[in-house]
């Protein structure tokens, strides 16, 4: 099995430095409130304008300052000269037959991230990224193939949500209508922090973004409808637990013992399964929320009957749910999806021992919905264009 350099999983990650290389004005959602207040004061404007601007973008779906009709006309013009509503640009927008949308966003420093909108009759779920790349190095995952570049800012995390919320309920061919503002449009109902990056390695910015999400002037989505998926960083899980929020925690376990897990998830070398399970128990004690364990099923690697038995023993007596995720192909990686027979046998073993288990549905697979794949493709296209 390929091995990747192990980084310290709890180490701080680099932040966005300096100004845009693309000459784009700073995104207003990332301007520190004090700076914006000073900017407004210089123009004899009250600080309440900050709340108005944010409400316009987050709740009223404004995509330009011009549309913000509750602001004085002159101020709108000045805002447009100094800031941009969005700091990201939509580089690619794909819509699958099942109405899964996938966006590749180009950031101010020319990096790219992706986010996904998954829809069915009753739900609209946004899957968001928290970092450019990922430093955890899970061997089967496309996001970490080139390591981590930097943390996303609070504004960049929020923009993913705004962009996707503005596309909820939209069908192919309606793109131009999607970002026009009307009342009582469909809204996002759920958020999963399962895109690119390790959310708990960028916890401050993520929490800042999520604090807006619950607000009625934001997205009005309750913490119970927000899932944070982590590779399993015990100290950060405890910090999250101490907030006393009702976020749903998903831990990427992927193996029932330390030696196999360290081969699949290199950061396990530093953390180990017992410390992760202890922090999960702490999370449950503090929040009362059942923890989900994700288990990417890699044919012939972690899908044997003995693995299922060991997993059942490991989780016995815990308030736990297991999400099995048959591996999604990643170009250049030589793993396999499990056979249907092996997968059902794995599920049977868990069921028989009383462990709650589900297989994650595959959505939007024709648009490279596996984490980090589309971004790589778009980046590679850019590279080959530059080389020709
Ligand atoms: N860093 C976080 C979020 C990662 S993405 C974490 O480790 O949980 C969310 C889930 O998708 C994780 O469980 C991750 O291991 C899984 N995943 C990543 N690439 C995958 C692939 N190619 N096929 C199936 N699941 C994948």
């Amino acid at each position: 099995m390929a091995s990747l350099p192990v980084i310290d999983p709890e180490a701080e990650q680099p932040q966005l430095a300096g100004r845009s290389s693309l000459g784009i004005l700073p995104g207003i959602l990332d301007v520190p409130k004090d700076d914006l207040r000073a900017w407004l004061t210089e123009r004899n404007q009250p600080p309440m304008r900050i709340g108005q601007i944010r409400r316009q973008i987050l709740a009223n779906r404004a995509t330009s300052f011009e549309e913000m009709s509750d602001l004085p006309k002159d101020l709108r013009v000045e805002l447009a000269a100094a800031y941009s509503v969005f700091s990201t640009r939509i580089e690619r927008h794909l819509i699958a037959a099942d109405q899964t949308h996938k966006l590749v966003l180009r950031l101010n420093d020319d990096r790219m991230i992706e986010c996904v909108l998954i829809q069915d009759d009753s739900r609209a779920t946004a899957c968001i990224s928290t970092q450019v790349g990922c430093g955890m190095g899970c061997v089967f995952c496309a996001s970490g193939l080139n390591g981590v570049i930097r943390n996303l800012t609070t504004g960049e995390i929020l923009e993913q949500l705004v962009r996707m919320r503005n596309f909820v309920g939209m069908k192919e061919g309606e793109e131009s209508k999607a970002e026009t503002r009307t009342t009582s449009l469909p809204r996002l109902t759920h958020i999963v922090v399962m895109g690119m990056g390790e959310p708990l390695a960028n916890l401050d910015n993520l929490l800042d973004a999520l604090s807006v999400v619950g607000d009625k002037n934001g997205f009005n989505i309750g913490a119970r409808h927000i899932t944070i998926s982590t590779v399993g960083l015990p100290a950060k899980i405890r910090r999250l637990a101490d907030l006393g929020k009702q976020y749903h925690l998903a831990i990427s376990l992927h193996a029932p013992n330390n030696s196999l897990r360290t081969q699949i998830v290199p950061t396990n070398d530093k953390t180990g399964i017992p410390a992760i399970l202890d922090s999960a128990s702490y999370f449950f004690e503090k929040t009362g929320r059942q923890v989900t364990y994700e288990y990417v099923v890699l044919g012939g690697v972690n899908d044997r009957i003995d693995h299922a038995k060991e997993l059942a023993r490991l989780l016995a007596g815990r308030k736990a749910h297991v999400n099995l995720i048959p591996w999604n192909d990643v170009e250049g990686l030589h793993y396999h999806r499990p056979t249907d027979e092996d997968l059902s046998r794995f599920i049977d073993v868990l069921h028989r021992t009383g462990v709650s288990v589900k297989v994650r549905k595959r959505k939007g697979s024709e648009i490279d919905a596996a984490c980090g794949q589309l971004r790589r493709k778009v980046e590679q296209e850019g590279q080959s264009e530059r080389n020709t």
Side-chain angles (χ1 to χ4, degrees):
M1 199 171 294
S3 73
L4 282 162
V6 179
I7 65 152
D8 178 355
E10 310 255 6
E12 290 305 318
Q13 305 296 329
Q15 310 282 344
L16 174 63
R19 260 189 65 108
S20 155
S21 61
L22 300 173
I24 295 173
L25 297 170
I28 191 109
L29 292 175
D30 265 330
V31 180
K33 286 219 171 96
D34 286 346
D35 295 3
L36 198 50
R37 197 174 296 121
W39 187 91
L40 286 164
T41 309
E42 278 168 28
R43 285 154 186 85
N44 294 321
Q45 293 293 330
M48 68 171 237
R49 299 286 181 223
I50 299 176
Q52 285 178 294
I53 296 166
R54 292 178 69 86
R55 188 160 54 246
Q56 280 285 358
I57 302 170
L58 299 170
N60 293 6
R61 308 181 189 222
T63 58
S64 69
F65 292 110
E66 182 51 37
E67 287 167 71
M68 301 182 184
S69 52
D70 54 347
L71 300 181
K73 184 95 185 129
D74 291 355
L75 179 63
R76 287 186 249 164
V77 173
E78 286 203 71
L79 279 165
Y83 302 110
S84 58
V85 170
F86 295 121
S87 70
T88 61
R89 285 186 295 146
I90 299 179
E91 180 72 24
R92 195 66 59 94
H93 180 185
L94 302 178
I95 310 176
D98 63 8
Q99 295 311 314
T100 300
H101 291 235
K102 183 134 198 174
L103 297 180
V104 174
L105 299 180
R106 190 183 282 274
L107 310 175
N108 242 343
D109 58 356
D110 224 6
R111 306 282 182 193
M112 284 189 258
I113 53 162
E114 54 186 64
C115 49
V116 187
L117 170 66
I118 304 149
Q119 306 183 89
D120 59 28
D121 293 343
S122 56
R123 289 181 175 213
T125 305
C127 175
I128 55 171
S129 295
T130 51
Q131 298 184 307
V132 181
C134 183
M136 301 298 120
C138 301
V139 293
F140 54 82
C141 175
S143 294
L145 287 175
N146 294 50
V148 63
I149 310 283
R150 68 168 171 88
N151 279 340
L152 296 184
T153 63
T154 303
E156 287 165 341
I157 297 172
L158 279 174
E159 278 186 34
Q160 297 174 65
L161 292 166
V162 173
R163 298 278 196 191
M164 285 188 284
R165 187 271 319 276
N166 294 355
F167 288 129
V168 176
M170 189 205 81
K171 306 236 163 39
E172 200 156 7
E174 295 176 347
E175 286 91 335
S176 57
K177 275 192 261 162
E179 296 209 335
T180 51
R181 192 153 49 104
T182 45
T183 47
S184 72
L185 281 168
R187 51 180 214 96
L188 285 176
T189 61
H190 293 74
I191 297 172
V192 294
V193 190
M194 292 190 180
M196 223 191 294
E198 169 49 43
L200 299 195
N202 188 13
L203 190 53
D204 289 337
N205 292 352
L206 175 64
L207 291 175
D208 261 5
L210 293 183
S211 70
V212 176
V213 163
D215 200 277
K216 67 172 178 358
N217 289 326
F219 295 88
N220 211 359
I221 302 174
R224 290 178 154 264
H225 289 176
I226 300 173
T227 301
I228 301 176
S229 174
T230 174
V231 72
L233 307 181
K236 297 284 171 67
I237 291 175
R238 285 169 189 271
R239 208 188 126 198
L240 191 61
D242 286 336
L243 296 175
K245 298 265 190 209
Q246 289 286 295
Y247 297 130
H248 180 188
L249 179 68
I251 297 180
S252 294
L253 196 60
H254 306 332
N257 60 60
N258 272 333
S259 69
L260 183 58
R261 189 169 193 269
T262 300
Q263 287 177 58
I264 300 174
V265 181
T267 58
N268 192 63
D269 197 30
K270 289 223 161 69
T271 47
I273 294 176
I276 294 175
L277 294 183
D278 283 353
S279 64
S281 303
Y282 184 78
F283 185 87
F284 177 64
E285 275 164 37
K286 286 274 172 172
T287 64
R289 297 283 276 148
Q290 171 176 281
V291 174
T292 292
Y293 293 91
E294 294 166 283
Y295 195 103
V296 170
V297 194
L298 303 163
V301 176
N302 63 356
D303 66 342
R304 307 291 84 201
I305 200 156
D306 287 344
H307 296 134
K309 287 181 182 161
E310 207 177 351
L311 183 62
R313 280 198 298 277
L314 192 68
L315 299 181
R318 292 178 172 273
K319 197 89 179 85
H321 171 78
V322 174
N323 239 338
L324 297 175
I325 319 169
W327 184 63
N328 284 318
D329 297 285
V330 175
E331 211 184 300
L333 295 184
H334 302 290
Y335 296 98
H336 303 282
R337 290 170 73 77
T339 64
D340 289 347
E341 277 170 0
D342 286 342
L343 191 59
S344 339
R345 201 182 48 175
F346 201 95
I347 296 167
D348 280 351
V349 172
L350 292 177
H351 270 159
R352 263 186 273 128
T353 44
V355 176
S356 147
V357 54
K358 269 204 186 118
V359 178
R360 185 178 299 162
K361 277 186 273 172
R362 203 174 188 204
K363 286 247 176 189
S365 53
E366 81 265 27
I367 53 169
D368 292 309
C371 182
Q373 287 220 75
L374 184 60
R375 170 194 71 129
R376 285 180 68 74
K377 199 179 268 180
V378 175
E379 278 177 354
Q380 278 156 11
E381 281 168 15
Q383 217 109 69
S384 56
E385 272 162 27
R386 274 195 284 278
N387 294 340
T388 50

